[in-house]
Amino acid sequence: MKHITQLKPTIAMIASEMKKTYSDALMHVGGNVTFRALPKSDIAEYLDLSSYKYDESDIDKYVDDLLIGHFAMMEKRKHVNDNYIPQLNINLGIGDYAAFVTGDVYFKKDTSWSVPAIHDLRMYKDLPEIGTSKWYRKYMYILEKVLQKTENTDIPFARGFFSPLDLAEALHGSEIYTDFYDNPDNLHDFLDYCADATIKFAEDIYKLIRKYRQNAEYGTMFIDGIVNMSEDISSMISPDLYDEFCAPHTQKVIDHFGSGHMHSHSCAIYLVKHICSLKNVANLWLATDPNHPRPFDMLEKLIEDADGTCLAIDCESFQEIQDNINILRQGNFSICLPVTTIEEAIAFTERFRKL
């Protein structure tokens, strides 16, 4: 278990760059462009999620395997001077993002899911208290083990959450799309419950992180005044529905923590303006979807819609960055370039810093 300064010798500079980016973003000031290289070793599969029972027989082995994978990846890229900050997370797929409320998690090799448990929007009133479900307890056990084993590393822990709408769909299923029209009042009540559940779960996670990252310089940088949320389900609805149903409840969660680091998709690139119009959104990871507009081809429009929010987008070549660097500097961007090897990652990062 190495200290963060051993896994990222330039961590002080990189952390300062990213803090400035997000601070400027919240003030709607542009001019920050950072670079992330994505070597294949960053995304190599090192866990077969379906091979664990996640009970007393092997849950500690899962934690050890998880950490071995994390540290191997971080060790390989320690000389890449890009904007990546070493971080820990718990890879259980996506199932636990809803199962912390109720239900179970079903695993495949590289992902998981949960099954909707609420067949009527009013059923949420009869759900057990947040913190009592099986997967809430399992997650918190795993989290504490990870934090205990890395207590003196000062490596931050990162955790994302479903937005209220994402959580509502995971718990209720695709009927949510007709509830906008058939049960708008009940849907608002349910979304408010989902916002409160997310706040409760996040607060419990943050409290445990702070217990094992006391007097941290970097160890709490992803939770101090920050919440990370996905807006995937909103990618399937109109801007008007987003403003009416999603925005108020997502804003409630952001307001509780201070600032939002969001995630959405280019299939709903029209929502960039709406998500970034929420108060105190510092970052939006805008994933590129096949057969949909590529964010890098729409830089000027995105700069206008984002209004300073940092956009994390990908590109296909370093030449694209070089040709568009003056446009990029008009906004705030984190540009990700997939590469094959660590050597390529180092070389492209050095070229970027010379731009």
Side-chain angles (χ1 to χ4, degrees):
M1 301 301 176
K2 294 186 177 181
H3 193 268
I4 192 171
T5 54
Q6 296 173 282
L7 295 166
K8 190 81 172 186
T10 56
I11 180 61
M13 180 185 72
I14 302 303
S16 177
E17 288 177 350
M18 298 316 297
K19 287 178 180 178
K20 180 182 183 301
T21 297
Y22 300 141
S23 176
D24 285 353
L26 292 174
M27 296 186 292
H28 307 284
V29 175
N32 301 279
V33 185
T34 59
F35 176 76
R36 166 75 187 272
L38 188 66
K40 290 185 177 180
S41 56
D42 276 17
I43 53 177
E45 293 182 10
Y46 52 85
L47 290 176
D48 178 353
L49 297 179
S50 64
S51 67
Y52 302 92
K53 296 180 180 178
Y54 304 99
D55 59 19
E56 60 276 4
S57 68
D58 68 359
I59 199 166
D60 290 329
K61 182 180 185 302
Y62 163 82
V63 171
D64 288 342
D65 292 346
L66 175 76
L67 290 175
I68 289 169
H70 276 323
F71 277 87
M73 183 274 283
M74 290 186 277
E75 178 70 26
K76 286 180 180 178
R77 62 152 27 254
K78 67 181 179 181
H79 295 303
V80 182
N81 194 24
D82 61 355
N83 70 8
Y84 169 77
I85 293 174
Q87 57 190 263
L88 302 165
N89 57 66
I90 294 173
N91 176 18
L92 291 170
I94 205 70
D96 70 286
Y97 277 55
F100 80 90
V101 177
T102 189
D104 212 337
V105 179
Y106 302 90
F107 291 93
K108 289 292 185 180
K109 180 179 179 180
D110 58 357
T111 191
S112 69
W113 67 93
S114 58
V115 174
I118 294 177
H119 310 297
D120 183 294
L121 284 178
R122 293 164 294 188
M123 285 177 62
Y124 77 87
K125 298 178 181 179
D126 299 322
L127 290 174
E129 181 181 356
I130 299 297
T132 60
S133 75
K134 175 174 69 175
W135 273 98
Y136 171 96
R137 297 193 300 271
K138 286 180 182 289
Y139 182 88
M140 296 303 285
Y141 176 89
I142 293 170
L143 174 61
E144 185 153 25
K145 287 291 184 180
V146 167
L147 293 170
Q148 285 175 343
K149 289 174 178 286
T150 61
E151 185 170 9
N152 297 315
T153 64
D154 201 20
I155 299 175
F157 187 90
R159 166 74 194 198
F161 302 90
F162 279 157
S163 70
L165 180 62
D166 280 14
L167 180 55
E169 193 276 340
L171 292 172
H172 185 48
S174 59
E175 291 181 22
I176 204 86
Y177 295 109
T178 56
D179 289 326
F180 291 120
Y181 306 96
D182 297 340
N183 300 293
D185 293 338
N186 287 334
L187 179 55
H188 270 298
D189 291 342
F190 184 40
L191 289 169
D192 191 57
Y193 165 83
C194 289
D196 289 340
T198 300
I199 290 170
K200 164 64 176 170
F201 190 35
E203 283 286 12
D204 291 347
I205 290 172
Y206 289 8
K207 180 179 180 180
L208 194 57
I209 294 172
R210 291 190 174 100
K211 175 182 176 182
Y212 291 97
R213 294 295 187 271
Q214 297 182 25
N215 303 313
E217 186 170 359
Y218 307 108
T220 60
M221 65 181 298
F222 293 146
I223 65 172
D224 290 337
I226 293 173
V227 64
N228 286 272
M229 285 187 289
S230 63
E231 287 280 27
D232 288 334
I233 299 306
S234 66
S235 298
M236 305 292 288
I237 63 175
S238 71
D240 288 343
L241 286 178
Y242 181 85
D243 290 344
E244 180 180 354
F245 288 93
C246 308
H249 305 286
T250 294
Q251 188 69 67
K252 180 179 182 179
V253 181
I254 294 173
D255 288 348
H256 180 87
F257 292 99
S259 68
H261 287 225
M262 310 299 293
H263 163 67
S264 187
H265 286 260
S266 67
C267 66
I269 208 160
Y270 55 83
L271 283 182
V272 169
K273 182 178 181 65
H274 298 259
I275 295 173
C276 295
S277 293
L278 296 173
K279 184 179 179 182
N280 291 329
V281 173
N283 186 73
L284 174 62
W285 168 25
L286 185 61
T288 302
D289 295 308
N291 302 317
H292 285 89
R294 197 171 69 107
F296 208 93
D297 293 331
M298 306 176 66
L299 293 178
E300 292 174 328
K301 174 61 174 172
L302 289 175
I303 290 168
E304 178 184 351
D305 288 350
D307 190 24
T309 296
C310 180
L311 298 177
I313 62 175
D314 55 23
C315 67
E316 294 179 352
S317 70
F318 189 83
Q319 189 66 44
E320 286 188 319
I321 302 175
Q322 189 166 298
D323 291 345
N324 291 278
I325 190 64
N326 290 330
I327 298 175
L328 291 166
R329 287 184 178 127
Q330 296 174 32
N332 292 309
F333 286 94
S334 169
I335 307 297
C336 179
L337 175 64
V339 298
T340 302
T341 65
I342 293 294
E343 290 73 23
E344 284 186 342
I346 293 172
F348 282 124
T349 302
E350 290 176 351
R351 286 179 62 185
F352 176 81
R353 292 197 170 275
K354 294 177 181 178
L355 286 178

